[in-house]
Amino acid sequence: MLLFREVAYMQIEKNIAATLRSEMERQGKTLMEFSTELGIPRSTLQGYLKGTSHPRADSMEELAYKLGISLADLVSGGTAANMRAAWMRSFWRPRLCTPAQCRW
């Protein structure tokens, strides 16, 4: 029987893998290029992506920094960033008016 803590940690590992995979695809980089950019060995990145290994806490902070995202976005699988972006899209609407018409 798995403890809640173990299940939660497994989900974090999956989220980190999903974030790394989506960022690698977004940038159109190969595994070798992406590992070089992040400054980690290719085998380590491959382990993160497969879920066979996981980064330590200090490594997670460094990964998030190098990716230009928050640690919360890294461990949530990017869902926090996606939710924030969706909220901003729903909240902010550009005004279609001339400067003389707009009163703000």
Side-chain angles (χ1 to χ4, degrees):
M1 184 171 144
L2 291 175
L3 297 173
F4 175 76
R5 177 180 56 221
E6 293 169 336
V7 173
Y9 197 74
M10 289 170 51
Q11 186 60 46
I12 289 172
E13 289 175 350
K14 288 179 185 178
N15 290 347
I16 291 171
T19 303
L20 290 172
R21 193 173 297 109
S22 68
E23 188 63 24
M24 190 170 75
E25 290 172 3
R26 186 186 70 78
Q27 293 182 13
K29 303 230 171 154
T30 65
L31 188 68
M32 192 63 180
E33 292 170 337
F34 199 54
S35 67
T36 303
E37 180 182 309
L38 294 176
I40 58 176
R42 182 193 54 80
S43 58
T44 302
L45 178 59
Q46 195 169 19
Y48 294 167
L49 293 172
K50 287 183 177 180
T52 56
S53 65
H54 56 276
R56 296 184 326 243
D58 59 335
S59 299
M60 285 191 282
E61 290 177 355
E62 191 172 336
L63 277 175
Y65 176 76
K66 288 180 179 178
L67 291 171
I69 60 176
S70 69
L71 184 57
D73 290 342
L74 177 66
V75 298
S76 69
T79 53
N82 294 341
M83 289 172 51
R84 190 169 44 251
W87 179 81
M88 287 301 291
R89 281 193 302 272
S90 69
F91 175 73
W92 184 77
R93 300 273 187 236
R95 295 179 182 240
L96 300 175
C97 58
T98 65
Q101 296 170 329
C102 290
R103 296 182 186 181
W104 39 285

